[in-house]
């Protein structure tokens, strides 16, 4: 079995699992069809891979996905971590690197969700019960005001837990490193349009805390240049990006931006107009902001791979920079806000988290870190950011 990528006309890329004859596996495809209604292409790919590995694990044992010993799931998780746990062929025979605890957890969650779906949709509870046990609360559970009216959730847990170890702190950039990256956008490209685009992208990620998928999905109509009022950008959840790029959540939000970021956008927009985007693209306002400006197809939406290509060029030119990714700007943005004294609920809304506890669990450590607090300039940096 292997994961197969496909893309229907006019739709985002998706994934399924096919057998040795190249045909979709019916029970897996049924679940993935349900999952496509809400999940991103990246989630679909990860879940497809995890379920395919589970089926591969079962295949040499002559057990089916509905009939297997309870211990097999524990063996499967151990196998993913160490390569040991069952007399089956290796998933990656040429590799000695096995999956991290976080990846094993993701595989467990995917297989659990697969069986949960079939238990709820098709009544196949026997296999579901092999992976889960009924949890018992030590005290009476909280009774909400919808008790007896709303459907109750499952009170079961996975039979095998995975130790995730200590959560590592999110990697961040120093303020001077952010400036180095922005300066390097000019020295690593001889094309002024590439420079303007990259400076806008990295400044946007740094000042707004957007995810890279959210940024690449922005259209020109999402940018409000102020016209005498405070400029802002609307983060609009979209699924139709031709390269399957999308944000993690579907909660729209508005982020007020600085005059500097507004000016960077206007300068980049004029570069696009000088290049003739209004002649090639009928509806510029509804077109993506970040596009190809130095290669064919001209003005086509930018790929994530192109962003990482530019990052590699910047790091080659500035080797003292860490091996950063676009998501480091989001971590740095949240860190700067919290160390500047911004209220956590404001940071929550700016990042697009669904609750403030997520923000505190992810970034709350920075306010207790003496070394982080000693880094200079956090408050000065955030002074020009709006809507705080």
């Amino acid at each position: 079995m292997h994961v197969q990528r496909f893309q229907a006309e006019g739709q985002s890329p998706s994934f399924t699992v096919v057998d040795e004859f190249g045909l979709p596996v019916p029970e897996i495809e049924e679940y993935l069809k349900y999952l496509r209604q809400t999940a991103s292409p990246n989630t679909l790919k990860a879940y497809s891979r995890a379920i395919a590995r589970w089926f591969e694990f079962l295949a040499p044992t002559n057990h089916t996905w509905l009939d297997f010993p309870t211990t097999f799931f524990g063996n499967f998780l151990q196998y993913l971590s160490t390569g040991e746990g069952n007399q089956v062929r290796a998933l990656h025979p040429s590799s000695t690197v096995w999956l991290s605890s976080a990846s094993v957890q993701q595989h467990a969650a995917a297989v659990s969700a697969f069986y949960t779906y079939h238990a709820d949709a098709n009544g196949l509870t026997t296999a579901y019960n092999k992976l889960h046990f009924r949890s018992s609360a030590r005290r009476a559970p909280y009774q909400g005001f919808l008790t007896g009216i709303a459907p109750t959730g499952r009170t079961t847990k996975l039979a095998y837990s995975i130790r995730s170890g200590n959560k590592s702190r999110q990697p961040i950039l120093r303020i001077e490193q952010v400036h180095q990256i922005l300066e390097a956008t000019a020295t690593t490209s001889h094309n002024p349009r590439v420079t303007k685009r990259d400076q806008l992208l990295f400044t946007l990620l740094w000042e707004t805390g957007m995810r890279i998928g959210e940024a690449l999905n922005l259209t020109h109509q999402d940018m409000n240049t102020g016209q005498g009022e405070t400029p802002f950008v609307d983060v609009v959840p979209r699924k139709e990006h031709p390269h399957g790029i999308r944000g993690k959540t579907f909660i729209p939000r508005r982020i007020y931006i600085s005059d500097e970021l507004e000016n960077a956008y206007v300068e980049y927009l004029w570069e696009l107009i000088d290049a003739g985007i209004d002649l090639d693209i009928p509806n510029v306002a509804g077109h993506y902001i970040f596009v190809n400006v130095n290669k064919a197809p001209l003005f086509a939406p930018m790929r994530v791979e192109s962003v990482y290509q530019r990052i590699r060029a910047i790091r080659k030119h500035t080797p003292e920079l860490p091996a950063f990714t676009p998501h480091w700007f989001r971590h740095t943005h949240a860190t700067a806000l919290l160390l500047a004294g911004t209220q956590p609920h404001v940071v929550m809304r700016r990042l697009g988290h669904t609750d403030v506890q997520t923000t505190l669990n992810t970034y709350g450590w920075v306010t207790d870190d003496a070394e982080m607090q000693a880094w200079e300039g956090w408050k000065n940096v955030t002074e020009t950011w709006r809507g705080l």
Side-chain angles (χ1 to χ4, degrees):
M1 290 187 183
H2 68 275
V3 177
Q4 179 68 51
R5 183 183 185 273
F6 68 92
Q7 184 172 7
E9 185 176 355
Q11 297 183 11
S12 299
S14 190
F15 299 87
T16 191
V17 177
V18 298
D19 58 20
E20 64 271 25
F21 302 108
L23 300 175
V25 181
E27 53 270 20
I28 301 179
E29 174 57 24
E30 179 184 342
Y31 167 64
L32 294 177
K33 184 178 180 181
Y34 159 77
L35 194 63
R36 289 186 192 107
Q37 300 176 34
T38 56
S40 69
N42 286 337
T43 299
L44 281 167
K45 183 178 181 180
Y47 272 47
S48 299
R49 183 183 293 118
I51 297 170
R53 283 176 171 170
W54 167 241
F55 273 59
E56 286 181 350
F57 185 83
L58 290 175
T61 68
N62 295 321
H63 289 283
T64 70
W65 68 282
L66 289 174
D67 181 19
F68 54 89
T70 302
T71 56
F72 266 39
F73 187 61
N75 292 343
F76 172 64
L77 300 181
Q78 180 184 0
Y79 181 56
L80 294 175
S81 299
T82 65
E84 301 175 356
N86 207 14
Q87 299 299 319
V88 296
R89 65 186 183 278
L91 298 180
H92 300 288
S94 62
S95 174
T96 58
V97 179
W98 298 90
L99 302 183
S100 66
S101 296
S103 295
V104 175
Q105 282 183 325
Q106 184 188 65
H107 279 63
V111 175
S112 172
F114 168 74
Y115 281 103
T116 300
Y117 165 81
H118 281 289
D120 290 341
N122 302 315
L124 303 176
T125 57
T126 301
Y128 173 88
N129 291 334
K130 291 178 182 292
L131 271 64
H132 301 81
F133 67 89
R134 188 169 297 278
S135 61
S136 57
R138 295 184 179 180
R139 58 181 177 81
Y142 169 75
Q143 299 293 314
F145 75 96
L146 291 179
T147 300
I149 302 176
T152 57
R154 292 188 176 273
T155 57
T156 56
K157 296 181 179 179
L158 273 174
Y160 296 91
S161 60
I162 307 97
R163 293 183 178 182
S164 59
N166 296 326
K167 292 186 176 180
S168 59
R169 296 178 173 184
Q170 285 68 31
I172 66 171
L173 296 161
R174 300 276 303 248
I175 296 173
E176 59 268 25
Q177 290 174 331
V178 174
H179 293 316
Q180 281 182 295
I181 293 170
L182 295 177
E183 292 171 1
T185 58
T187 54
T188 55
S189 173
H190 300 294
N191 187 323
R193 296 190 182 102
V194 173
T195 298
K196 296 293 185 183
R197 183 197 63 191
D198 292 353
Q199 287 181 339
L200 173 62
L201 176 61
F202 294 135
T203 303
L204 180 80
L205 295 176
W206 153 238
E207 184 177 321
T208 66
M210 284 187 198
R211 300 177 178 90
I212 185 61
E214 294 172 332
L216 294 184
N217 264 291
L218 290 176
T219 65
H220 290 281
Q221 62 192 7
D222 299 329
M223 295 289 295
N224 188 303
T225 55
Q227 299 177 356
E229 299 181 356
T230 304
F232 61 83
V233 55
D234 283 326
V235 183
V236 181
R238 293 189 173 93
K239 300 181 182 180
E240 65 272 13
H241 196 284
H243 304 313
I245 302 169
R246 58 193 287 185
K248 184 177 180 180
T249 63
F250 293 94
I251 303 175
R253 65 188 189 276
R254 175 168 294 181
I255 303 176
Y256 290 93
I257 61 176
S258 67
D259 294 334
E260 289 78 10
L261 182 54
E262 177 190 24
N263 293 335
Y265 167 72
V266 171
E267 290 179 9
Y268 169 64
L269 180 59
W270 278 114
E271 289 287 348
L272 293 179
I273 293 174
D274 287 342
I277 189 173
D278 53 327
L279 301 178
D280 289 357
I281 305 298
N283 178 22
V284 176
H287 196 57
Y288 297 97
I289 292 176
F290 297 104
V291 296
N292 294 340
V293 293
N294 65 330
K295 62 180 180 181
L298 197 62
F299 308 129
M302 194 175 183
R303 293 178 177 270
V304 173
E305 293 82 358
S306 298
V307 179
Y308 279 90
Q309 184 180 28
R310 295 296 299 131
I311 289 177
R312 286 193 294 271
I314 290 171
R315 290 196 63 241
K316 183 177 180 180
H317 178 270
T318 317
E320 64 270 22
L321 286 172
F324 69 96
T325 70
H327 211 67
W328 282 40
F329 288 99
R330 180 174 172 84
H331 296 324
T332 308
H333 177 81
T335 298
L337 289 177
L338 290 172
L339 289 179
T342 307
Q343 292 298 317
H345 71 274
V346 176
V347 182
M348 173 201 74
R349 289 198 299 265
R350 199 167 178 92
L351 295 177
H353 288 160
T354 55
D355 62 84
V356 73
Q357 195 59 50
T358 300
T359 306
L360 293 175
N361 289 345
T362 309
Y363 300 108
W365 64 271
V366 302
T367 57
D368 296 326
D369 190 290
E371 181 182 358
M372 293 295 299
Q373 291 177 346
W375 286 7
E376 71 288 347
W378 294 113
K379 192 170 184 61
N380 293 336
V381 167
T382 61
E383 279 182 348
T384 60
W385 297 355
R386 307 289 180 81
L388 304 182

